[in-house]
Amino acid sequence: MTISKFQGKTKEEAIKNARDEFGENTVIMNVKEVKPKGLFAIFKASTYEVTAAKEEREEFVNPVNALKTPEKLHESISLAADEKIQIPKYERVEREENATPSFNVQQLLQKEIRQAKSELGIGEKSSGKREQNQIQSEEKLEQRLDQISNSLTRNEEKSAPEGKGGLGSDELNFVKILYSTLIKNEVNEKYVNQILDEIERFLRPGNSLDTILSNVYQKLILRFGQPHELTTGNKKPKLVCFFGPTGVGKTTTIAKIASKCKVEQGKKIAFITADTYRIAATEQLRVYANILDAPMSIVYSPEEMNGAIQGYLDYDLIFLDTAGFSHKNESQCQDMKKLLDVIEPQYDREVYLVLSATTKYQDLIEISDIYKEISTYKLIFTKLDETTTYGNLLNIKLHSGAELSYVTNGQNVPEDIELFDTQKIVKQLLGGK
């Protein structure tokens, strides 16, 4: 992974410089405004600094050449996040004075296991029969910490002098903090374990916890990827389709995005609705269309779709609202697929799956799988203001492989919507604010 910083007079220019250097797959990790300093600062304009990353395949290095130029083997990069990340503090575990290093590691791990179980609500004893998932969580946590115990003990035996050194409680405490924080934020345990596997080599004496935490921060940033922002295409018009379950706020989300496109970007927009099932659905969209002074059409069958599009050929963007339906309703799934399939390929289009951040993880899995059979899509999450845990945003991103786009956090149009803020969400997943 290559990480570098790029400057520009504007945020857009700095991002462009990064993409010119790293290519279209550049991951923007941080954007920071750099205010001028000094006596004449008030006469100078602010600049912007972008921290960007690019995943690269490891290239073969000739060992003979490498020995001749060892300084070129590793590039010096800063692993720290541009802003301080605060994660929950836990009581530090003190070493016993007379314990040997290997015995002390095992003793500390056992204490970490007990404390992590307590904080995660995993009781060692309970009145009556324990829930199956509780037992599984206990077993998985103990197995995970046992694996790290074995790895750390082997590292100690290789690198620490006999009778000296050993891992401090900070490293062990960090594993427990990271595990419990991500689990409490409802990140799926499969993905938590993947992260622990990747950082295991950093969990050894001499590596600061700030370095380890920064490494976790970067890996989460890269997992989320660069959010997708709606733009007009090379061909006009671009058809922007929204589908998803009932009650997730598709129509309101369309109004928010359409408002920004027209008011902030000056785009010429139009609306088409195929939601003829829900009572007053068309009237809700018509109200927004009237406010934005944009035309609107209603289609009652897939056969009418192309005719409706042809009425707006000189527009930049056409927003298509569809009927929400249960992912378990096969007939409505087929109707939706037919609606999208009949759209002529000459029209540039993007499809967005709108999901609520408050939906249960297993339901989100099923919904994302069913809708993938209808069309490829990008993800929009709504109702972030109605939850305090954001693990499902990462879970569904990794499960579906779809790009993240927008998130909404309220009912106000157009204010309560923004492009997915990767840095903010990652900090919250790590226990920050």
Side-chain angles (χ1 to χ4, degrees), residues 184-286:
K184 286 176 183 177
N185 276 293
E186 299 185 3
V187 177
N188 185 267
E189 190 171 27
K190 174 176 67 175
Y191 302 127
V192 175
N193 285 333
Q194 288 176 3
I195 295 169
L196 291 180
D197 286 337
E198 292 180 15
I199 68 165
E200 192 168 326
R201 64 191 180 92
F202 290 93
L203 296 174
R204 60 188 63 181
N207 283 345
S208 70
L209 294 185
D210 282 343
T211 298
I212 298 170
L213 180 58
S214 295
N215 187 269
V216 175
Y217 172 85
Q218 290 180 11
K219 291 185 181 303
L220 287 172
I221 289 283
L222 290 171
R223 275 172 164 77
F224 275 116
Q226 182 71 16
H228 173 83
E229 185 173 10
L230 174 64
T231 59
T232 54
N234 296 326
K235 298 184 293 183
K236 292 176 61 174
K238 174 181 276 191
L239 184 64
V240 190
C241 314
F242 295 78
F243 60 15
T246 56
V248 297
K250 287 190 300 299
T251 304
T252 306
T253 300
I254 291 173
K256 292 174 181 177
I257 297 176
S259 297
K260 286 185 173 293
C261 289
K262 177 159 186 174
V263 176
E264 296 179 6
Q265 302 174 19
K267 302 300 181 184
K268 193 175 181 182
I269 65 170
F271 296 96
I272 296 175
T273 179
D275 187 0
T276 56
Y277 295 94
R278 187 164 54 94
I279 298 175
T282 56
E283 291 307 313
Q284 181 184 5
L285 188 62
R286 191 182 298 279

Side-chain angles (χ1 to χ4, degrees), residues 17-260:
N17 291 338
R19 287 179 175 162
D20 288 344
E21 179 70 22
F22 283 166
E24 288 301 319
N25 294 326
T26 304
V27 176
I28 305 301
M29 303 180 66
N30 192 71
V31 179
K32 182 171 66 175
E33 182 180 2
V34 181
K35 295 184 177 180
K37 298 179 180 179
L39 183 62
F40 300 101
I42 59 173
F43 302 105
K44 300 177 182 178
S46 296
T47 59
Y48 288 84
E49 181 181 84
V50 166
T51 303
K54 178 185 179 182
E55 283 281 18
E56 295 179 339
R57 295 181 179 178
E58 294 185 359
E59 297 182 358
F60 173 76
V61 178
N62 187 311
V64 176
N65 294 335
L67 288 173
K68 294 178 180 178
T69 56
E71 70 278 1
K72 294 184 180 180
L73 287 176
H74 303 285
E75 294 184 2
S76 177
I77 61 172
S78 173
L79 293 176
D82 284 352
E83 299 178 27
K84 186 72 173 175
I85 303 173
Q86 297 288 342
I87 60 176
K89 293 184 179 179
Y90 289 77
E91 184 179 354
R92 182 168 178 165
V93 183
E94 298 295 337
R95 290 179 177 270
E96 293 189 6
E97 292 180 0
N98 299 323
T100 62
S102 60
F103 174 77
N104 199 27
V105 170
Q106 296 296 336
Q107 189 179 49
L108 285 171
L109 276 168
Q110 290 304 318
K111 190 167 184 178
E112 294 295 328
I113 291 170
R114 291 195 298 270
Q115 188 173 351
K117 287 178 183 177
S118 174
E119 290 168 0
L120 293 172
I122 305 173
E124 295 184 357
K125 295 181 180 180
S126 60
S127 56
K129 188 177 181 180
R130 289 186 296 181
E131 296 291 330
Q132 185 65 29
N133 61 349
Q134 187 181 40
I135 297 173
Q136 291 174 351
S137 296
E138 177 180 336
E139 291 173 348
K140 289 177 181 178
L141 173 59
E142 193 159 357
Q143 290 171 2
R144 183 66 214 156
L145 292 179
D146 283 344
Q147 291 172 3
I148 293 177
S149 168
N150 295 333
S151 175
L152 295 180
T153 302
R154 287 195 300 270
N155 289 335
E156 281 191 308
E157 292 173 351
K158 292 179 181 178
S159 60
E162 186 177 354
K164 297 182 181 180
L167 288 169
S169 61
D170 286 344
E171 289 87 350
L172 304 173
N173 212 20
F174 176 81
V175 176
K176 182 205 62 179
I177 294 170
L178 177 62
Y179 185 96
S180 61
T181 301
L182 291 174
I183 291 294
K184 286 176 183 177
N185 276 293
E186 299 185 3
V187 177
N188 185 267
E189 190 171 27
K190 174 176 67 175
Y191 302 127
V192 175
N193 285 333
Q194 288 176 3
I195 295 169
L196 291 180
D197 286 337
E198 292 180 15
I199 68 165
E200 192 168 326
R201 64 191 180 92
F202 290 93
L203 296 174
R204 60 188 63 181
N207 283 345
S208 70
L209 294 185
D210 282 343
T211 298
I212 298 170
L213 180 58
S214 295
N215 187 269
V216 175
Y217 172 85
Q218 290 180 11
K219 291 185 181 303
L220 287 172
I221 289 283
L222 290 171
R223 275 172 164 77
F224 275 116
Q226 182 71 16
H228 173 83
E229 185 173 10
L230 174 64
T231 59
T232 54
N234 296 326
K235 298 184 293 183
K236 292 176 61 174
K238 174 181 276 191
L239 184 64
V240 190
C241 314
F242 295 78
F243 60 15
T246 56
V248 297
K250 287 190 300 299
T251 304
T252 306
T253 300
I254 291 173
K256 292 174 181 177
I257 297 176
S259 297
K260 286 185 173 293

